[in-house]
């Protein structure tokens, strides 16, 4: 069995496009319907209740459009809303959480020193606290909120090298980076800053995001349901945003093609 229905993917804004890129690469036959909620970004500074309400609105629209699955391409919305969404809807809802396990596994049993960079809301929610609790006996884990990176991407300032470097130094100079094994990019906006992170971090420090793991998870779920797109389907990504300006649409397209 196969399904030609689309996969709905959403984020608070532009960050989820990093996940769309991964899905296009790993599941090229799928049709992806993306919704960025830039008019309401950042979610990371909202209350969990506000984020839940916005997430429900978006998922309901996807369901009305007949999607076969939803990917919450946002760690923040996942922490605030994934459980409630799964209870309310029958279709698969794939969430994202900071890729802490792969970062710990890199040590092959040896204790790791890891910085998790994410939004303030993600780092304060019980979901992340539970994830930390699973690994913090054996490993040293630092939580670092990086809210300004979200704003920089949303305001189309990704190419402002001075601004981005200044922001990264503001967050990371407090650490002895030579002793850090991995930095986990626990927000889907952050993979767009990967080269800047590389400039700031020592060569030996790994930079880990959850995008490939998420795409793999989507594949496994659709496969198990017999709902992958057929191999003769061309696949595409359709991008929408709650900020309906032409400028925003152009920014979305440029991030997808970057
Ligand atoms: N991209 C989102 C995430 O993965 C959050 C950005 C925001 O604060 O809106 O957490």
């Amino acid at each position: 069995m196969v399904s030609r229905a689309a996969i709905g993917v959403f984020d608070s804004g532009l960050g989820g496009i990093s996940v769309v890129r991964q899905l296009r690469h790993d599941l090229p036959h799928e049709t992806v319907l993306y919704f960025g909620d830039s008019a309401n970004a950042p979610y990371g500074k909202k209350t969990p209740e506000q984020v839940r309400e916005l997430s429900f609105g978006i998922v309901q629209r996807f369901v009305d459009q007949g999607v076969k699955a939803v990917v919450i391409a946002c760690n923040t919305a996942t922490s605030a809303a994934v459980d409630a969404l799964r209870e309310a809807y029958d279709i698969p809802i794939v969430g994202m959480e900071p890729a802490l396990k792969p970062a710990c596994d890199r040590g092959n049993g040896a204790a790791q020193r890891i910085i998790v960079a994410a939004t303030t809301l993600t780092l304060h929610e019980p979901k992340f606290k539970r994830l930390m609790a699973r690994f913090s006996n054996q490993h040293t884990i630092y939580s670092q909120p990086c809210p300004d990176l979200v704003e920089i991407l949303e305001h189309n300032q990704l190419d402002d090298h001075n601004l981005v470097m200044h922001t990264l130094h503001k967050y990371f100079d407090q650490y002895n980076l030579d002793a850090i094994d991995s930095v986990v990019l626990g927000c889907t906006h952050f993979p767009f800053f990967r080269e800047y992170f590389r400039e700031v971090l020592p060569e030996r420090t790994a930079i880990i995001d959850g995008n490939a793991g998420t795409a793999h998870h989507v594949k496994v779920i659709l496969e198990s349901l017999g709902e992958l797109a057929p191999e003769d389907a061309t696949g595409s990504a359709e991008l929408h945003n709650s900020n309906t300006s032409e400028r925003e649409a152009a920014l979305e397209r440029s991030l997808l093609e970057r």
Side-chain angles (χ1 to χ4, degrees), residues 23 26-27 214-224 228:
L23 288 167
D26 296 356
L27 297 169
T214 300
H216 180 70
H217 193 186
V218 172
K219 185 174 181 203
V220 168
I221 290 177
L222 292 179
E223 212 159 34
S224 73
L228 278 171

Side-chain angles (χ1 to χ4, degrees), residues 38-140:
S38 292
N40 291 300
Y43 279 10
K45 291 182 178 170
K46 291 189 165 18
T47 65
E49 293 73 26
Q50 289 171 320
V51 173
R52 247 191 312 275
E53 196 181 327
L54 291 164
S55 303
F56 263 86
I58 295 166
V59 172
Q60 185 57 51
R61 278 201 301 281
F62 278 148
V63 169
D64 294 343
Q65 289 170 301
V67 301
K68 61 185 172 187
V70 169
V71 178
I72 310 177
C74 177
N75 296 257
T76 308
T78 300
S79 25
V82 71
D83 293 340
L85 287 168
R86 284 185 181 142
E87 261 180 47
Y89 294 99
D90 286 337
I91 54 170
I93 299 195
V94 177
M96 293 186 72
E97 65 180 10
L100 191 50
K101 184 173 185 305
C104 294
D105 288 349
R106 277 190 75 243
N108 290 320
Q112 297 291 288
R113 300 174 82 85
I114 299 163
I115 301 174
V116 180
T119 68
T120 310
L121 194 153
T122 297
L123 297 172
H124 284 110
E125 276 297 279
K127 195 171 194 313
F128 182 68
K129 297 258 154 64
R130 286 196 295 274
L131 184 67
M132 277 275 272
R134 273 174 60 200
F135 298 103
S136 53
N137 280 348
Q138 212 196 328
H139 305 283
T140 306

Side-chain angles (χ1 to χ4, degrees), residues 26-253:
D26 296 356
L27 297 169
H29 303 295
E30 299 295 336
T31 300
V32 174
L33 214 52
Y34 181 73
F35 184 80
D37 195 8
S38 292
N40 291 300
Y43 279 10
K45 291 182 178 170
K46 291 189 165 18
T47 65
E49 293 73 26
Q50 289 171 320
V51 173
R52 247 191 312 275
E53 196 181 327
L54 291 164
S55 303
F56 263 86
I58 295 166
V59 172
Q60 185 57 51
R61 278 201 301 281
F62 278 148
V63 169
D64 294 343
Q65 289 170 301
V67 301
K68 61 185 172 187
V70 169
V71 178
I72 310 177
C74 177
N75 296 257
T76 308
T78 300
S79 25
V82 71
D83 293 340
L85 287 168
R86 284 185 181 142
E87 261 180 47
Y89 294 99
D90 286 337
I91 54 170
I93 299 195
V94 177
M96 293 186 72
E97 65 180 10
L100 191 50
K101 184 173 185 305
C104 294
D105 288 349
R106 277 190 75 243
N108 290 320
Q112 297 291 288
R113 300 174 82 85
I114 299 163
I115 301 174
V116 180
T119 68
T120 310
L121 194 153
T122 297
L123 297 172
H124 284 110
E125 276 297 279
K127 195 171 194 313
F128 182 68
K129 297 258 154 64
R130 286 196 295 274
L131 184 67
M132 277 275 272
R134 273 174 60 200
F135 298 103
S136 53
N137 280 348
Q138 212 196 328
H139 305 283
T140 306
I141 303 163
Y142 305 97
S143 308
Q144 180 57 54
C146 302
D148 291 357
L149 294 181
V150 176
E151 310 268 6
I152 288 171
L153 189 71
E154 291 297 321
H155 296 143
N156 196 10
Q157 293 170 309
L158 184 58
D159 292 327
D160 187 335
H161 186 269
N162 284 347
L163 174 67
V164 177
M165 291 308 276
H166 172 81
T167 307
L168 287 178
H169 282 294
K170 179 176 78 176
Y171 292 136
F172 293 99
D173 280 359
Q174 59 185 304
Y175 299 99
N176 173 12
L177 293 175
D178 288 324
I180 299 295
D181 298 298
S182 305
V183 172
V184 174
L185 306 182
C187 169
T188 53
H189 282 66
F190 299 170
F192 287 110
F193 296 88
R194 185 176 275 270
E195 284 166 26
Y196 292 112
F197 273 94
R198 198 64 283 164
E199 257 186 73
V200 169
L201 298 172
E203 215 175 305
R204 65 171 288 276
T205 306
I207 303 170
I208 298 177
D209 69 58
N211 289 0
T214 300
H216 180 70
H217 193 186
V218 172
K219 185 174 181 203
V220 168
I221 290 177
L222 292 179
E223 212 159 34
S224 73
L225 295 170
E227 289 189 358
L228 278 171
E231 295 203 345
D232 66 353
T234 32
S236 61
E238 204 179 291
L239 305 180
H240 297 275
N241 200 292
S242 51
N243 173 343
T244 54
S245 69
E246 183 42 46
R247 203 165 155 263
E248 194 71 11
L251 180 54
E252 282 197 323
R253 279 196 301 275

